[in-house]
Amino acid sequence: MIDRFALLSPFVLAVGLALGVALLVAVVVLVRENGRLRRQVAVGVEPGDPAVDGADLLERVAAVSHRLAATHPLSGLPVREALLAHMAADGRGLLGAIAFADFDRLTAFDPTLAEHMFATATARLRAMLPRERFVAQVDRGQVGLWFGQTTGEAEARAELDAVSYALGEEIAVGGRNLTPQIKVRLARFDADGAIEANAFVARTLASFTLAAGAAAQPEATSDFADLAQDRYALEQDLRQAIFRRELRLEYQPLVDAGAGRVSGAEALIRWDHPGRGAISPTRFIPIVEAMGLASEIGMWALNTAARQANEWRAAGLDNLRVAVNVSGLQLERDDLPILVQRTLERHELGPTALEIELTESVATSDADHCRHIFQGLRAMGVKLAVDDFGTGYSGFSSLRTLAFDKIKIDREFITDVDRRPDSQAICQSIIALGRGLGIRVLAEGVERAGEYAWLRRHGCHHFQGFYFARPLSGEAFAAFVRDRATLTKLLTVGGMADIETRLMA
């Protein structure tokens, strides 16, 4: 459905009379189509006047059209044409582009809320910019900053970074607290180049390849709108989860059956939502990665795990290693070894207290880059483990090129391994491979005594899973480590029937 309303500009009528031609009719039309607001300029003539040349009329109106709508009705900012005029006048300079990445997606299910959020954020933007900075709304949810020739690139980039940080702060809109997702770009414009100003602006805006924006569907069904709204609300809450201390870590014991002890723990992230309760990691971890929050939340997890490891050591629990998962986004950072080293130093831990764990698919996405990162981590003494081994396409080659310290057999092959010949063949091969390469092999997801017994009998010495313990709080994990009687019973094959009965009770 399309709602239109027109604003007749009186001065255009006066221009028409002064020109001595037919009455010029120029209107600015604001069109709301599928919840999206856009501007149109319509030009016409009084019917029946043969003295008017249409092309000449359009040319004359175009000469004054920049006066029809100096600002955008939504943001109050100058429109794209004004930005293009500045660029054309200067000839060259720096253009900053700001995108409100979730504007279209929010518009898909709540146009009014999206417009209020954008208007509030752009008001904040105008207040923080220096007086001489020209800013314009160049597209839906997108703003352009013209730095011209007088501002250096380093200064312009610093200003854009400050703007991005400020606009990303939580704002109150319509009784709700929203955290805008902000993306920025900086590009150099030169009128002597092959691309004119309008095309340059369009190309710069097109560089915002946003997965979130692609989710918006103008013809969304009510079911889709409900799902989109729920996903958006979950993302908003997730942005604040660290600040509100809703995230926590649990620790699942890593058992060394050969040594008869708990060798460490894997740190597992949990989210206790104040309204939704406990949210499964299988639901929110993909959102973390899609939103680009993996580095931020990953560093929080690394620091939290290191702090806990220090507390265990202070409580007399030595020789424990905490394994922390690293995402693909974290691994892309060249400074990951430096960040890990600083974390260890901050919490007064030695490198043997930490193990970095990543999936096979992440580790093999860019083998050369990963090899460089791994060399830096291994040089300081940090151990490396590959998770979900056997589910990727290049498992054996990755062991040779990336030299992991531990292989974790995926739980898919562990479940009912004592009853499934196909899983037995795979597990035996991985155990033999690890033995030949001198790499520890850990079976994860061990839930039954029969699974543990078969794996132990076939040479596997390291275990993780519900058979030994579910993920525990830091205090409960420490108690489990100290309870050597229970661990001994779990490790004793003769007592497995009693243990399995206890677990099923």
Side-chain angles (χ1 to χ4, degrees), residues 63-139:
V64 296
S65 64
H66 65 283
R67 299 169 58 189
L68 292 177
T71 61
H72 195 284
L74 178 58
S75 63
L77 296 175
V79 294
R80 181 194 289 234
E81 290 76 12
L83 174 65
L84 298 177
H86 275 74
M87 295 173 66
D90 289 349
R92 59 179 54 85
L94 292 170
L95 173 68
I98 304 171
F100 291 78
D102 41 8
F103 179 79
D104 279 345
R105 198 152 52 93
L106 182 55
T107 300
F109 59 84
D110 196 335
T112 301
L113 183 61
E115 292 174 4
H116 285 177
M117 180 194 73
F118 185 72
T120 303
T122 51
R124 176 186 293 177
L125 174 65
R126 291 198 306 270
M128 70 175 295
L129 289 175
R131 185 180 298 273
E132 69 274 11
R133 186 71 61 239
F134 184 80
V135 57
Q137 181 173 342
V138 292
D139 208 341

Side-chain angles (χ1 to χ4, degrees), residues 304-316 346-349 353:
T304 303
R307 184 182 305 111
Q308 180 63 74
N310 193 16
E311 291 179 6
W312 289 332
R313 187 187 64 174
R346 183 181 305 116
H347 297 285
E348 301 179 340
L349 291 174

Side-chain angles (χ1 to χ4, degrees), residues 130-206:
R131 185 180 298 273
E132 69 274 11
R133 186 71 61 239
F134 184 80
V135 57
Q137 181 173 342
V138 292
D139 208 341
R140 291 174 37 77
Q142 295 178 329
V143 173
L145 274 66
W146 180 242
F147 294 97
Q149 303 181 54
T150 59
T151 305
E153 184 167 342
E155 183 183 349
R157 193 171 298 280
E159 186 173 312
L160 266 184
D161 289 342
V163 165
S164 175
Y165 179 81
L167 294 183
E169 291 292 315
E170 187 178 80
I171 59 176
V173 183
R176 297 177 57 181
N177 292 327
L178 301 179
T179 305
Q181 185 181 2
I182 306 299
K183 301 290 184 181
V184 296
R185 298 284 188 276
L186 184 66
R188 183 173 295 279
F189 171 70
D190 189 345
D192 295 334
I195 185 170
E196 52 90 22
N198 191 38
F200 179 82
V201 172
R203 187 178 67 179
T204 302
L205 298 179

